[in-house]
């Protein structure tokens, strides 16, 4: 697309450009390959809201010619601003994610490092061979049992490996910075094809040895004993065990174990599934050379929760997603991919789409920079106003009349409200940890705008039940009967039944979380003080006593006290939910930072190429928009593409397609061009003889050739399987419906 | 530099002074190494403190006849010898006895393990390096003394290097004689080439030219001062049939250790030999059923013995010398359950303690909770897998276990009712036949299946699951990206993919998942796997 033609402008002036739909179809590929240029051509999505805005703005444009000219200039100004805003926001999010993941892994990394030092020192205790001993070819003679290789199995607990590439890279950096020689090998180095030589070559490449002719482990031993290199432990990271070729790995382990005294390598092996993977991969003779310990790093669920917490909850002012988008991402994570990488990628795409689709979104990029003059000068207030007017949320917020002065006010309100919201969600999540509620699920529920109006009533129901609590204990049944708002309810139920000690911890954590937000903090304080008041009223019920009191006769009192405290906590949650947890989509001006367009993201992310190929083959005319097919609609015309015709014909057959029948019907359709007589369809066989010999033969041959080519094409796309020996005149359809 | 290394230097210098003439002929390149001593011919000796033959016998119980045989075959100083072929099972002491013997005899040897030298070229070059007294270092860019790939080059280089080295030795022994220091010293004129793990040569020698070449080396070189020793864990019959046109090496067989020998070896370096022998009384009998290899036994016994000693250190229940039998019995009852469990476990993974220590610091309440949770989690799947991958795994498992003919009856509700009725009648008539069929299935292991069958089963399963759980409306998206999931399952080695032409699509798959894991996965999806398994019905 030519950079000079700005689609934003054309679109806003003339909403029904013919190129619009074409743009649509190309978009996934644009986004995937050229994100930066993609941003410029505004996503003319044809989504409802955008259209509506265009329609709304058009009468204004006709009224003020001047204004539209202004606008055009401003749009030109917007594009770099949009890019800039996206860059600043995304770089912020990205660095947050990185920090968070690093922090999450740090404890596991420290454990590993400690273990490495232990191994290293233990190996040194046995005595260091000197350089001559270490570089000799025969093993060092000792009376002790043959040394074992120390190996750390780092269990990543995710069948998909992508996320852990980064983890192991960081582990490598971490160990390097803590004084280890680190070498990283991956499954590519343990391939059947290259054998042990390839793997040794890769190993030696990791060390500063210069050009090496033939990879030999004795080189490494000489290097390690030279120039104080042996003061540091030698760590070898093999990042993905499952994909390694077992026999090569066996050879490698056996070779290392032969050298273990002279070259005390410490192995770190990444295991995606279970320890059994190693048992399956290596024979017993190699396994007994390993002295292994197990280390766990965070599960993908944990990591996901921390990312959601850091990016979407804590920094909710930066960028946020609507309920449907969140639900889509969650389902994609659980059902399809299960990797953080794809989640982050989806988030990035969402962010990108948001900035390219929402003209006002760039405000908040500047809002972040707190460089107000800049964006005000770029965006004339009237235009801004106009866009704001069209926000559905703005209408709902019922302050439209005094819009002029309240924009700034509204924006700052939005920020404070979001801060309150995120704190409230964090508090709820903290409470949810006792009932093992995952933040991602909670997040989806909290964002749901449909549930929001019901929440008040939910609270009422709960209060009623609270009153009846002391007498009945069948409340759990009643709760489960109500389906909506399940997670919050679940949390509340758990908090009510929480023992005192845990509750105290929870309140302490709440205090920590709310420390910066005075509004909620005050609420918490009043709730605590009310509890204290109760304590004072009955001085024997200090919190220390409570634990002692369990066994005593006053257990009934203690229970009462317990429920009082719990009820207070429940009331606090109640207050949070009611006052501060308005879903983001219900806040005014949320469009500035909230991305809601699921369909778009879905198309971009999943693509679903197989289904797409099949669908496109069936109605290719909709894409090609040729003149001939436009008239006839769905009917098969000879002018259509061969493979498209063949695929449409194949729909009439079942699993197996008789080649002869298929060819005949293909031929019939092609013959329609020459003679548009209905007879030709009925009897193609005699027709052939009637044709003049020369051209007819040629025609037949070319038809056959075209048939063959189309079938081959379909075979290559994976839709067909060629005839087998058993059924030589049938092809088999391979993928239907998938 | 290391203090230990620094301490080594004076000793080395005295040695090299004694043979200063020898060091002059060293390879020029090794002299460049700055802080390092150039290698001398003495470095071809095993080194270490001298060891007597009696010590050898006591170090290697049950091996005295083999040691004596080898000594007699090697002969006294400066006698030529025929090639030796030492063989015997794994960990029967072949390599260590040869090395210790050379330490005792104090004769130079060139040792190369065919495991470390994993191809012909590296084997040749490592032998030449040692003969040339070459040392790889950063100064020479870790290069070899000679570049040598072909056997024909090798024989020339080897002859050259050997004559050099032997002249060197001869000079040295002449000096020794003239210096009248020849009490028993003298390292002789012989050089011995030792090839360890020789059985591996068969694997990398695809054209089978190298084996005859190496066996023929003695005849090719025609240097009487060279001795060849091959060490292998397979018998000579696996290398050559009779009469290949070269001198067959003299075989020396190392038989497996007897029970008594193993006891002696295992209790060699134990502090409390009495306690250890009582431990062996208990443990050895049951372990002999599994393995008789010394290395496997010793690695298995190390943690077991620690377990065995636990009650002794924990609570001083047993005052010294009190009721020996009583103590033994108590210890036995303590260790017995551990033995049976460790019998099946070749590979032990210890979870690192520091993590658990941190956990225990937390409140008691939490620990209790955690224990409960752990019990629950045992049955759970402990790694993440996406839902569609789980379904795919289950369908692969089903496709591998069930015969393809039963698919229709299992998954198609209409076809099922007809088929079942038809199938039941003959099976009632011949129940034995069904049993034998089941047995056959078990013996065959998981069957292979084409991609289409897998996808069909997958579709059936998913649609059934979607019907049953209408609450989750989102699971309708499970179908896309199935092939991606399949490849990631293949990568995790849960599904084995046979090799075939990818375009033709006739690749066959096979599920390698254990029933246990499949059940776990099914449980996490609440999928009634057992009702779909043919074996069960």
């Amino acid at each position: 697309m030519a950079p000079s033609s700005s689609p934003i402008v054309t679109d806003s002036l003339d909403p029904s450009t013919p190129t619009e739909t074409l743009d649509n179809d190309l978009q996934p590929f644009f986004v995937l390959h050229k994100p930066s240029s993609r941003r410029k051509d505004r996503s003319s999505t044809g989504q409802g809201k955008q259209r509506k805005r265009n329609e709304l703005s058009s009468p204004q444009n006709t009224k003020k010619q001047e204004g539209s000219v202004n606008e055009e200039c401003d749009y030109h100004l917007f594009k770099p601003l949009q890019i800039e805003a996206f860059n600043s926001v995304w770089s912020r999010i990205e660095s947050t994610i990185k920090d968070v993941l690093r922090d999450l892994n740090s404890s596991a990394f420290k454990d590993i490092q400690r273990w490495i030092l232990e191994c290293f020192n233990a190996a040194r205790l046995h005595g260091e061979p000197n350089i001559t001993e270490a570089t000799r070819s025969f093993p060092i003679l000792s009376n002790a049992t043959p040394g074992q290789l120390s190996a750390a199995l780092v269990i990543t607990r995710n069948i998909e490996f992508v996320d852990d590439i980064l983890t192991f890279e960081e582990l490598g950096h971490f160990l390097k910075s803590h004084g280890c020689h680190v070498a990283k090998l991956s499954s590519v180095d343990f391939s059947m094809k290259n054998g042990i030589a390839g793997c040794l070559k890769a190993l030696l490449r990791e060390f500063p040895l210069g050009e090496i002719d033939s990879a030999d482990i004795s080189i490494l031993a000489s290097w390690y004993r030279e120039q104080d290199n042996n003061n540091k432990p030698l760590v070898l990271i093999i990042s993905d065990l499952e994909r390694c070729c077992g026999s090569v790995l066996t050879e490698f382990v056996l070779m290392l174990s032969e050298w273990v005294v002279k070259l005390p390598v410490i192995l770190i092996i990444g295991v995606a599934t279970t320890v059994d993977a190693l048992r399956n991969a290596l024979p017993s003779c190699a396994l007994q050379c390993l002295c292994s310990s197990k280390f766990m790093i965070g599960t993908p669920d944990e990591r996901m929760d921390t990312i959601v917490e850091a990016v979407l909850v804590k920094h909710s002012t930066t960028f946020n997603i609507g309920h449907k988008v969140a639900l889509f991402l969650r389902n994609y994570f659980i059902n399809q991919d299960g990797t953080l990488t794809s989640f982050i990628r989806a988030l990035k795409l969402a962010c990108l789409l948001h900035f390219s689709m929402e003209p006002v979104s760039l405000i908040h990029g500047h809002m972040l920079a707190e460089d107000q003059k800049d964006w005000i000068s770029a965006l004339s207030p009237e235009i801004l106003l106009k866009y704001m007017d069209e926000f559905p949320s703005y209408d709902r917020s019922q302050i439209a009349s005094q819009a002029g002065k309240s924009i700034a006010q509204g924006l700052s309100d939005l920020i404070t409200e979001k801060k309150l919201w995120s704190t409230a969600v964090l508090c709820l999540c903290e409470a949810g940890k006792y009932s093992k509620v995952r933040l991602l699920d909670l997040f989806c529920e909290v964002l749901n705008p449909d549930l929001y109006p019901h929440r008040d009533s939910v609270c009422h129901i709960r209060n009623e039940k609270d009153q009846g609590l002391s007498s009945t204990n069948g409340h759990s049944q009643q709760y489960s009967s109500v389906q909506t708002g399940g997670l919050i309810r679940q949390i509340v139920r758990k908090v009510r039944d929480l023992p005192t000690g845990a509750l105290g911890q929870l309140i302490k954590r709440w205090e920590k979380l709310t420390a910066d937000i005075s509004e909620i903090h005050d609420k918490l304080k009043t709730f605590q003080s009310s509890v204290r008041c109760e304590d004072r009223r009955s001085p024997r019920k200090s919190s220390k006593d409570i634990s002692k009191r369990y066994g005593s006769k006053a257990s009934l009192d203690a229970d009462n006290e317990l429920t009082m405290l719990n009820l207070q906590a429940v009331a606090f949650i109640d207050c949070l939910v009611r006052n501060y947890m308005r879903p983001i989509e219900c806040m005014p001006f949320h469009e500035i930072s909230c991305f809601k367009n699921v369909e778009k993201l879905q198309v971009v992310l999943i693509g679903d190429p197989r289904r797409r190929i099949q669908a496109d083959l069936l109605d290719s005319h909709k894409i090609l928009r040729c003149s001939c097919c436009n008239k006839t609609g769905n009917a098969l015309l000879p002018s259509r593409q061969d493979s498209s015709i063949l695929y449409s014909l194949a729909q009439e057959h079942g699993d197996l397609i008789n080649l002869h029948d298929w060819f005949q019907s293909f031929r019939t359709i092609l013959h329609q061009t020459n003679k548009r007589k209905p007879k030709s369809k009925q009897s193609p066989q005699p027709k052939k003889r009637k044709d003049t010999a020369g051209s007819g033969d040629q025609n037949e041959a070319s038809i056959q050739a075209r048939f063959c080519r189309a079938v081959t094409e379909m075979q290559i796309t994976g839709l067909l399987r060629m005839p087998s020996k058993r059924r030589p005149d049938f092809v088999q359809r391979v993928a239907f419906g998938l | 530099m290391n203090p230990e290394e620094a301490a080594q230097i004076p000793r080395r210098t005295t040695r090299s002074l004694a043979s200063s003439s020898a060091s002059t002929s060293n390879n020029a390149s090794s002299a460049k190494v700055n802080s390092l001593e150039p290698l001398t011919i003495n470095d071809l000796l095993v080194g270490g403190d001298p060891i007597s033959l009696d010590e050898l016998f006591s170090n290697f119980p049950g091996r005295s006849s083999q040691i004596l045989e080898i000594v007699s075959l090697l002969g006294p100083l400066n006698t030529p010898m025929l090639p030796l072929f030492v063989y015997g099972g794994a960990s029967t002491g072949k390599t260590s006895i040869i090395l210790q013997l050379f330490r005792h005899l104090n004769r130079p040897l060139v040792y190369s393990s065919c495991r470390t030298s994993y191809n012909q070229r590296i084997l040749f070059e490592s032998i030449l390096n040692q003969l040339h007294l070459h040392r790889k270092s950063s100064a020479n860019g870790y290069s070899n003394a000679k570049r040598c790939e072909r056997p024909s080059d090798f024989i020339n280089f080897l002859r050259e290097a050997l004559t050099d080295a032997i002249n060197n030795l001869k000079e040295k022994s002449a000096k020794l004689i003239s210096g009248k220091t020849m009490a028993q010293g003298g390292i002789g004129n012989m050089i011995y080439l030792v090839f360890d793990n020789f059985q591996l040569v068969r694997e990398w020698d695809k054209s089978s030219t190298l084996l005859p070449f190496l066996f023929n080396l003695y005849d090719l070189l025609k240097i009487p001062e060279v001795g060849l020793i091959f060490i292998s864990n397979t018998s000579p019959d696996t290398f050559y049939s009779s009469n290949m046109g070269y001198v067959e090496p003299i075989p020396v067989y190392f038989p497996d250790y007897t029970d008594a020998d193993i006891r002696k070896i295992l209790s060699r370096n134990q502090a409390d030999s009495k306690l250890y022998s009582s431990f062996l009384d208990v443990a050895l009998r049951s372990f002999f059923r599994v393995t008789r290899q010394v290395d496997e036994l010793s690695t298995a016994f190390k943690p077991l013995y620690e377990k065995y000693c636990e009650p002794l250190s924990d609570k001083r229940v047993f005052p010294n010398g009190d009721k020996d039998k009583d103590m033994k019995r108590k210890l036995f009852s303590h260790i017995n359950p551990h033995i049976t469990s460790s019998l099946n476990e070749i590979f032990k993974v210890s979870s690192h303690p520091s993590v658990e220590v941190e956990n225990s610091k937390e409140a008691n309440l939490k620990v209790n909770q955690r224990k409960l949770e752990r019990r629950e989690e045992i049955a759970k799947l402990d790694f993440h897998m996406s839902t569609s991958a789980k379904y795919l795994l289950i369908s692969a498992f089903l496709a591998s276990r069930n015969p393809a003919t039963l698919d229709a009856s299992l998954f198609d509700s209409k076809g099922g009712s007809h088929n079942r009725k038809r199938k039941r009648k003959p099976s009632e008539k011949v129940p034995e036949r069904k049993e034998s069929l089941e047995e056959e299935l078990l013996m065959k292991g998981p069957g292979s299946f084409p991609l289409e069958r897998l996808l069909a089963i997958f579709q059936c399963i998913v649609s059934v699951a979607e019907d049953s759980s209408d609450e989750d409306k989102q699971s309708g998206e499970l179908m896309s990206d199935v092939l991606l999931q399949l490849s990631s399952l293949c990568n995790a080695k849960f599904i084995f993919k046979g090799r075939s032409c990818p375009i033709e699509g006739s690749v066959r798959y096979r599920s390698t998942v254990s029933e246990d894991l499949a059940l776990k996965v099914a449980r996490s999806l609440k999928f009634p796997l057992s009702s779909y398994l043919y074996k069960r019905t």
Side-chain angles (χ1 to χ4, degrees), chain A residues 394-654:
Chain A
Y394 187 69
D395 298 337
R396 223 178 296 151
S397 66
Q398 295 162 354
I399 38 169
S401 52
Q402 341 126 11
K405 38 181 171 167
S406 64
I407 285 180
Q409 183 64 37
L411 290 182
S412 67
D413 280 353
L414 177 67
I415 290 176
T416 46
E417 194 174 351
K418 271 189 181 171
K419 268 184 189 154
L420 287 174
W421 178 85
S422 64
T423 317
V425 172
L426 284 178
C427 286
L428 206 60
C429 168
E430 203 59 60
K433 276 177 188 164
Y434 290 95
S435 44
K436 285 196 258 174
V437 171
R438 293 201 21 231
L439 179 60
L440 188 60
D441 301 334
L442 181 67
F443 181 70
C444 287
E445 188 180 312
V446 161
L447 280 181
N448 194 345
D450 300 337
L451 287 182
Y452 178 61
H454 303 303
R455 271 193 203 138
D456 277 334
S457 61
V458 162
C459 293
H460 286 310
I461 294 167
R462 186 165 50 234
N463 287 337
E464 282 161 25
K465 268 163 205 160
D466 289 347
Q467 288 157 10
L469 178 76
S470 51
S471 57
T472 62
N473 43 6
H475 58 279
S476 55
Q477 276 184 344
Q478 286 165 300
Y479 270 122
S480 60
S481 64
V482 187
Q483 280 293 323
T484 48
L487 283 179
I488 295 177
R489 213 172 290 255
Q490 204 181 321
I491 290 169
V492 167
R493 204 190 318 157
K494 187 78 191 179
V495 167
R496 198 206 318 278
D497 300 339
L498 220 52
T500 329
L503 196 62
Q505 282 179 345
L506 179 63
I507 292 170
K508 261 178 209 159
R509 264 178 280 163
W510 276 349
E511 269 179 55
K512 239 184 238 171
L513 279 174
T514 56
D516 297 335
I517 313 292
S518 56
E519 211 176 327
I520 299 179
H521 199 63
D522 292 345
K523 284 254 161 59
L524 189 66
K525 276 274 167 327
T526 52
F527 141 60
Q528 273 176 312
S529 64
S530 75
V531 171
R532 256 174 237 132
C533 283
E534 299 248 332
D535 285 352
R536 245 174 273 141
R537 239 184 284 154
S538 50
R540 58 205 167 97
K541 291 177 196 166
S542 72
S543 57
K544 278 180 191 170
D545 278 344
I546 289 166
S547 50
K548 291 179 193 167
R549 215 163 275 279
Y550 271 117
S552 71
K553 63 174 176 124
S555 63
L556 210 138
D557 281 351
D559 275 354
N560 262 336
E561 160 70 11
L562 210 67
T563 48
M564 272 314 293
L565 201 70
N566 287 355
L567 285 182
Q568 289 288 346
V570 168
F572 175 67
I573 292 179
D574 215 59
C575 152
L576 285 181
V577 172
R578 213 173 322 169
N579 298 336
Y580 304 112
M581 290 192 23
R582 181 141 67 124
I584 289 181
E585 278 168 81
C586 301
M587 297 178 187
F589 296 125
H590 70 269
E591 283 91 342
I592 292 174
S593 67
C594 182
F595 177 75
K596 293 190 293 191
N597 197 339
V598 209
E599 293 85 6
K600 194 105 181 95
L601 189 65
Q602 208 162 353
V603 168
V604 168
L605 203 65
I606 295 183
D608 205 1
R610 269 181 171 263
R611 201 190 298 260
R612 195 64 191 249
I613 287 173
Q614 296 177 52
D616 287 354
L617 272 179
L618 281 181
D619 37 34
S620 58
H621 58 277
K622 281 181 191 159
I623 297 161
L624 295 176
R625 298 163 149 267
C626 51
S627 55
C628 48
C629 299
N630 261 347
K631 296 170 204 159
T632 49
N634 227 352
L636 286 177
L637 287 182
S639 64
R640 260 170 86 166
Q641 223 255 333
D642 290 347
S643 48
S644 166
I645 296 176
L646 268 186
Y647 189 72
S648 308
L649 287 175
Q651 299 303 308
E652 294 162 14
H653 298 261

Side-chain angles (χ1 to χ4, degrees), chain A residues 137 157 159 200 213 215-216 218 223 226 242 244 255 258-259 288 293-294 331 334-336 721, chain B residues 111 115-116 118 121 130 136-138 142 147 197 296 350 384 386-388 452 474 477 485 493:
Chain A
S137 59
R157 293 192 277 183
I159 191 171
L200 276 180
D213 193 19
D216 182 358
S218 67
W223 172 81
E226 260 180 4
E242 271 87 352
C244 294
M255 190 186 284
E258 243 182 28
W259 284 79
Q288 68 171 3
S293 325
K294 193 162 78 173
N331 288 332
I334 291 175
N335 289 337
Q336 302 282 325
R721 186 200 269 184
Chain B
Y111 172 94
R115 171 150 281 135
T116 304
Y118 55 88
R121 179 182 168 191
Q130 292 178 59
K136 291 174 185 173
S137 68
S138 58
Y142 304 101
R147 192 192 156 90
N197 293 320
E296 282 180 3
S350 58
H384 183 94
S386 62
T387 317
S388 67
E452 291 82 56
Q474 292 81 22
E477 294 156 8
Q485 305 290 350
K493 299 207 171 150

Side-chain angles (χ1 to χ4, degrees), chain B residues 401-447:
Chain B
R401 285 301 165 92
N402 293 344
T405 46
L406 280 182
D407 278 357
S409 65
L410 279 174
F411 297 108
D412 188 4
S413 55
K414 282 178 198 167
S417 56
H418 291 300
N419 278 355
R420 244 173 239 158
K421 276 174 195 166
R422 273 179 214 159
K423 290 238 160 151
R424 244 175 228 166
K425 278 173 192 168
S427 73
E428 275 163 17
K429 281 174 195 165
V430 203
E432 292 160 25
R433 200 175 142 195
K434 198 186 171 190
E435 260 172 47
S436 70
L437 217 134
E438 243 172 67
E439 223 167 72
E440 201 182 301
L441 264 181
L442 199 74
M443 299 299 281
K444 271 182 185 167

Side-chain angles (χ1 to χ4, degrees), chain A residues 226, chain B residues 23-39 128-129 132-146:
Chain A
E226 260 180 4
Chain B
S23 60
T24 52
S25 68
N26 272 347
N27 196 310
S29 62
S30 68
K32 279 187 216 157
V33 182
N34 34 15
S35 63
L36 294 173
E37 286 292 308
L39 293 172
L128 291 175
N129 280 343
H132 279 288
L133 303 170
H134 172 84
R135 171 184 274 158
K136 291 174 185 173
S137 68
S138 58
N140 57 28
Y142 304 101
S143 62
N144 292 306
K146 285 269 173 3

Side-chain angles (χ1 to χ4, degrees), chain A residues 317-335:
Chain A
T317 45
T318 328
F319 173 69
N320 222 311
I321 51 178
H323 171 245
K324 277 184 185 153
V325 177
L327 212 58
F328 165 70
L329 287 181
R330 172 180 164 270
N331 288 332
Y332 190 62
F333 175 72
I334 291 175
N335 289 337

Side-chain angles (χ1 to χ4, degrees), chain A residues 654-674:
Chain A
D655 205 355
L656 293 171
I657 305 171
N658 187 313
L659 268 177
H660 181 75
D661 294 349
W662 205 20
F663 174 68
Q664 286 307 332
S665 41
F666 178 67
R667 208 174 67 107
T668 325
I669 284 172
L670 287 195
H671 273 301
Q672 281 174 14
T673 20
N674 308 338

